[in-house]
Amino acid sequence: MHAPDAAGYAFGPWVLRTGERELVGQDGVAVPLSTGEYNLLLAFVTHPKRVLSRDQLLDLSQGRELAAFERSIDNHISRLRRKIEADPADPKLIKTVWGGGYTLASDVKRL
Amino acid sequence: MSRLLPKSLIGQMAVLIGAALLIAQLINFTLILNERQKTSLAQSQGPAVARFVTVASDLVQAPPDFRFAVLEDAPRRGASFRIAPESNVAADEERDSSTEARLGQSLANAGLKVAEVRAASRSEARESRRGGPGETHFLLLSAKFGSAWLNGRIATPRPDPWLSARLGLATLLLYLIVLGATLFVAARLARPLRDLAAAAERFGGREAPPTVASRGPSDLRRAIDAFNAMNGRVVALLDEKDRMLGAIGHDLRTPLASLRIRAESVEDEEERAAMAATIAEMASMLEDIVVLARSGRAREPERAMDVTALADALVEEQRALGRSVTLLPSDPQPAKVQPTLLRRAIRNLIDNAVKYAGSATVEVRRETGRVVIAVADTGPGLPPDQLERVTEPFYRVEQSRNRDTGGSGLGLAIARAAAESHAGELRLMNRPEGGLIATLSLPGDA
């Protein structure tokens, strides 16, 4: 697993803190993430605005235990969307790329 | 009656003393009023009766020809006298028996023999000298000499109309002064007592003890000072206990680590595995002890956190281990929490459910301003008398635990300590539909 090389990543209205492995919103309320969600989100914020296929996401998130379930990437994406999107039905941050995979549609600032 | 009586000290004192004082004052008021009226009546009747007796004895001693002159001479200063065949007080009229007795006595003392005496007290409306309406008060006195009546009509001084009002005012004033003083003393007692009770309720034995301001009467001040001192001792004692537990847990880690290394060199593979398992169990037990000790002292800084997301992450973690744990749909519930401690508490509750029931259902909801984390299972539940005891450190439910389920017996104790450290509480209940439900409630003020 590659160690995150920043204390945090700011994207959209969120800050992903690598030390505590959690998201912090603008209101300062922390949103804890499961290991799978955290690793997946870390893959996105370290590769912003790039289309990532499910295979790439599996590799990047080191999801060894997830590898058995191909669908679990989709599952984790929908869980992440529920936590970070204002409207999970109309995602603005993690977008689906038809036939390709997913992409983080926001600029990321390293903190 | 007991429902009408206020519950607080000051309320009870006010009501009881107020009622007792009222009764005493009313009795006193009635007695004084009665006495005053008697005195004032005697003062006004005395002269009237004396004049009547003087006229009567003059009449009796005067020769018959002069009787007319006596009667002519007598009507002065509001009095008039007549000789008539009938009394001016009819037999069936309202009469004044005390004056009659007095009149009879006075006539007898003057050596006059009368067949009968009658007396009545009357008043009639008149124009007062100051212009307004007023009343004239007079006594009708009548005595029967032989066959004729001597009738007298003698004005009496007006009874003091303000007598009862003045007396009432004095009584009321006295009442208010005594009641006011009582309430003042009661309030002086009640306020420090209330502070004391509030401090005792708030006292969790953990953080700096609440110090109650020492005030009020000296015996109450002594109680408050003793309470403050006792709080200090309790905190010091608990602190000492936590420090000792923490030190023991911490200091045993090092020899245990070296034991683990030595165990690696055991030849027999089965023996080595058993030793490793035992050592792992001891290590986790020590870890629990350290956590429990730390939950009392050295609080972790609180942070605003979405408790639902925290539960969600923990549930996800369990599912990744292949356990059957579900989070019911829950809205985000932000609260100020100590993340590591709360995480541990929820994890312990889920672990417990999975251990005894094989599965767990978690829900996070808001109940009257508090964030409630409920972990339910469908297992055998607990006998009612053990619901409270299982949260005691090292308590184990008999029989239901066998050795291979492991655990230190500290899981629920840590969960409870975590809840208390958040000024919340942990409750265990048997669900009506079967199984156990553990609810951890926290103040949700973030």
Side-chain angles (χ1 to χ4, degrees), chain A residues 17 20-22 24 27-35 37 65 75-76 79 82-83, chain B residues 303-314 316-317 319-320 334-335 339 343 446:
Chain A
R17 285 200 188 142
E20 294 89 353
R21 298 188 153 229
E22 65 194 18
V24 179
D27 53 2
V29 175
V31 177
L33 299 173
S34 72
T35 310
E37 289 164 356
E65 72 268 42
N75 186 18
H76 275 80
R79 290 172 54 85
R82 250 184 289 145
K83 288 187 175 171
Chain B
R303 286 198 296 142
M305 182 168 279
D306 176 7
V307 177
T308 304
L310 178 67
D312 183 60
L314 287 167
E316 202 49 33
E317 181 187 282
R319 292 168 73 94
R343 196 185 285 264

Side-chain angles (χ1 to χ4, degrees), chain B residues 272-289:
Chain B
R272 191 169 64 222
M275 286 176 85
T278 308
I279 290 168
E281 195 185 326
M282 281 176 75
S284 110
M285 217 182 273
L286 286 178
E287 168 94 11
D288 281 353
I289 290 174

Side-chain angles (χ1 to χ4, degrees), chain A residues 5-28:
Chain A
D5 45 16
Y9 299 88
F11 66 99
W14 298 100
V15 171
L16 180 67
R17 285 200 188 142
T18 51
E20 294 89 353
R21 298 188 153 229
E22 65 194 18
L23 271 171
V24 179
Q26 280 172 323
D27 53 2

Side-chain angles (χ1 to χ4, degrees), chain B residues 65 75 89:
Chain B
D65 294 349
V89 180

Side-chain angles (χ1 to χ4, degrees), chain B residues 58-68:
Chain B
D58 283 355
L59 274 175
V60 169
Q61 284 163 17
D65 294 349
F66 285 95
R67 284 190 183 155
F68 183 68

Side-chain angles (χ1 to χ4, degrees), chain B residues 224-238:
Chain B
I224 291 173
D225 290 342
F227 173 79
N228 286 337
M230 186 189 70
N231 279 357
R233 285 198 300 275
V234 169
V235 168
L237 220 62
L238 286 172

